[in-house]
Amino acid sequence: MAEVLLSVRDLEVRFRTYAGEVQAVRGVSFDVNKGEVVALVGESGCGKTVTVLSIMRLIQIPPGNIARGSIIFGGRDLLELSESEMQHVRGNRIAMVFQDPMTSLNPVFSVGNQLCEPLILHQHLAGGAAMKRAVQMLEMVNIPNARERLGQYPFQFSGGMRQRAMIAMALSCNPELLIADEPSTALDVTIQAQIIDLLTELKRKMDTAIMLITHDLGVVARIAQKVMVMYAGKIIERGTVRDIYRQPRHPYTWGLLAAVPRLDTREKKRLVPIYGQPPDLIDPPKGCAFWQRCNYAMKICTEMEPESVTVSDGHEVCCWLEHSMAPKVEWGRAVGQ
């Protein structure tokens, strides 16, 4: 049985704004096992980044507030650690690759200076030893002329090289968990593929667990073992990659898959967008948060929030279509139509 590395339970995160309190994350629970890749997918604004920033304790308080929940890592609740204790976790045991490589590196310090900082702070390496390790990390992420590159500044790196440098920095202390927040979003398609291949290779070599945050389901299919689908601050479906891609059960998951072009089939299908907008999380709708955009919404969807239903081992979904009295619906069409 796989050993649980990270356990998040009933996490709620809110932000106070001039318009009211935004319920950004609403009762999220999940586990990440040692050495596995878990993807958290969904539209922009669904709460993915806020969830992982909460794990890193990087939510600005105020206006943010972790209202409830627990984040157990290494047998300790990260929410109960002091800031000084948390600094020994960040970058050392849990590392994060942020969304935009263009702004994640400090423009006034050399790349080598920034790579050496976590090695000196967490690994207690001397300057020469830290520089040697930094060269090894740049070589590991396939940056040529690594020793010469250490003296250069971020503006002298391309976007893909900056992202590789960020990955090298994140992995320099051999973390047990790497959080990658849309690591390929700001890059062109060919560089995106290289970054995903790099993460796959590094995971194989270092056996680091990876939590991948993305809205690109094509990326998920290549690297992840488990997938969690998030909508309006909640996880509405979870399962293995095979479960989510071959037997999706939530209409929102159907919509995400229908909006992605397929290259593994000759069948020609028009891409279908998910019409409408995500709900206002200052005042979330009653019942299922997706009912206003769902082609299969029933009266009960507007009145009561669905509970999680186990479809098969490890595959869970929150949808009233799973009720025994609901109409039988297949992916993309009602039975009999």
Side-chain angles (χ1 to χ4, degrees), residues 155-198:
F155 75 89
Q156 295 174 288
F157 279 48
S158 67
M161 289 176 65
R162 272 187 286 236
Q163 193 63 291
R164 289 172 185 270
M166 287 297 301
I167 294 171
M169 188 186 305
L171 293 174
S172 61
C173 296
N174 296 319
E176 298 162 67
L177 174 64
L178 174 67
I179 298 174
D181 186 7
E182 304 203 22
S184 60
T185 296
L187 308 173
D188 63 56
V189 175
T190 55
I191 303 300
Q192 285 183 16
Q194 293 174 15
I195 293 299
I196 296 306
D197 288 342
L198 174 63

Side-chain angles (χ1 to χ4, degrees), residues 19-50:
E21 189 174 63
V22 178
Q23 301 176 42
V25 176
R26 306 188 295 150
V28 164
S29 298
F30 61 87
D31 293 331
V32 178
N33 296 328
K34 286 191 174 182
E36 75 176 358
V37 181
V38 178
L40 185 59
V41 304
E43 292 172 289
S44 296
C46 70
K48 306 186 301 295
T49 297
V50 173

Side-chain angles (χ1 to χ4, degrees), residues 18-135:
Y18 69 93
E21 189 174 63
V22 178
Q23 301 176 42
V25 176
R26 306 188 295 150
V28 164
S29 298
F30 61 87
D31 293 331
V32 178
N33 296 328
K34 286 191 174 182
E36 75 176 358
V37 181
V38 178
L40 185 59
V41 304
E43 292 172 289
S44 296
C46 70
K48 306 186 301 295
T49 297
V50 173
T51 298
V52 296
L53 288 178
S54 300
I55 294 171
M56 297 292 287
R57 289 269 303 276
L58 292 175
I59 296 292
Q60 185 174 346
I61 302 174
N65 175 41
I66 300 177
R68 189 174 69 180
S70 63
I71 302 172
I72 308 299
F73 179 80
R76 303 180 71 186
D77 189 347
L78 299 184
L79 298 181
E80 296 181 354
L81 300 186
S82 66
E83 179 57 28
S84 61
E85 290 175 317
M86 195 64 205
Q87 287 177 1
H88 291 289
V89 175
R90 289 193 208 104
N92 188 25
R93 301 186 65 192
I94 305 177
M96 186 167 179
V97 178
F98 293 91
Q99 191 171 62
D100 186 1
M102 310 301 178
T103 59
S104 297
L105 292 168
N106 192 319
V108 301
F109 290 100
S110 69
V111 171
N113 191 305
Q114 295 178 68
L115 272 169
C116 289
E117 182 179 4
L119 294 169
I120 295 170
L121 178 64
H122 297 301
Q123 301 295 308
H124 308 294
L125 296 181
M131 193 65 71
K132 182 178 179 180
R133 173 66 173 167
V135 171

Side-chain angles (χ1 to χ4, degrees), residues 258 260-272:
V260 176
R262 297 286 297 273
L263 300 178
D264 59 345
T265 178
R266 293 186 177 183
E267 185 180 358
K268 295 182 179 179
K269 285 187 176 182
R270 183 181 295 275
L271 298 182
V272 181

Side-chain angles (χ1 to χ4, degrees), residues 84-320:
S84 61
E85 290 175 317
M86 195 64 205
Q87 287 177 1
H88 291 289
V89 175
R90 289 193 208 104
N92 188 25
R93 301 186 65 192
I94 305 177
M96 186 167 179
V97 178
F98 293 91
Q99 191 171 62
D100 186 1
M102 310 301 178
T103 59
S104 297
L105 292 168
N106 192 319
V108 301
F109 290 100
S110 69
V111 171
N113 191 305
Q114 295 178 68
L115 272 169
C116 289
E117 182 179 4
L119 294 169
I120 295 170
L121 178 64
H122 297 301
Q123 301 295 308
H124 308 294
L125 296 181
M131 193 65 71
K132 182 178 179 180
R133 173 66 173 167
V135 171
Q136 294 173 347
M137 293 308 300
L138 287 186
E139 290 175 342
M140 182 180 292
V141 296
N142 301 322
I143 290 182
N145 305 316
R147 187 170 296 278
E148 292 76 13
R149 289 289 187 179
L150 287 179
Q152 295 183 340
Y153 289 81
F155 75 89
Q156 295 174 288
F157 279 48
S158 67
M161 289 176 65
R162 272 187 286 236
Q163 193 63 291
R164 289 172 185 270
M166 287 297 301
I167 294 171
M169 188 186 305
L171 293 174
S172 61
C173 296
N174 296 319
E176 298 162 67
L177 174 64
L178 174 67
I179 298 174
D181 186 7
E182 304 203 22
S184 60
T185 296
L187 308 173
D188 63 56
V189 175
T190 55
I191 303 300
Q192 285 183 16
Q194 293 174 15
I195 293 299
I196 296 306
D197 288 342
L198 174 63
L199 286 174
T200 304
E201 179 65 14
L202 292 175
K203 190 267 175 193
R204 184 185 65 80
K205 287 181 178 179
M206 304 179 72
D207 198 33
T208 299
I210 299 176
M211 191 170 177
L212 178 66
I213 313 304
T214 185
H215 57 259
D216 188 338
L217 290 174
V219 167
V220 171
R222 293 183 60 182
I223 189 173
Q225 283 111 44
K226 294 181 182 178
V227 183
M228 299 181 292
V229 181
M230 197 166 187
Y231 185 77
K234 289 178 173 288
I235 293 175
I236 58 172
E237 186 168 8
R238 74 182 79 210
T240 65
V241 168
R242 185 182 182 90
D243 290 333
I244 299 302
Y245 281 80
R246 296 196 177 187
Q247 296 179 318
R249 303 298 285 261
H250 199 287
Y252 179 63
T253 310
W254 298 344
L256 291 178
L257 291 169
V260 176
R262 297 286 297 273
L263 300 178
D264 59 345
T265 178
R266 293 186 177 183
E267 185 180 358
K268 295 182 179 179
K269 285 187 176 182
R270 183 181 295 275
L271 298 182
V272 181
I274 303 175
Y275 294 101
Q277 297 292 327
D280 182 1
L281 292 184
I282 292 178
D283 184 23
K286 186 180 178 181
C288 174
F290 188 62
W291 75 264
Q292 293 171 317
R293 306 172 72 187
C294 181
N295 294 329
Y296 311 103
M298 302 171 286
K299 184 178 180 182
I300 194 171
C301 300
T302 68
E303 298 174 346
M304 295 181 63
E305 186 176 326
E307 295 183 355
S308 179
V309 175
T310 300
V311 178
S312 60
D313 185 25
H315 189 185
E316 301 175 10
V317 62
C318 298
C319 183
W320 283 113

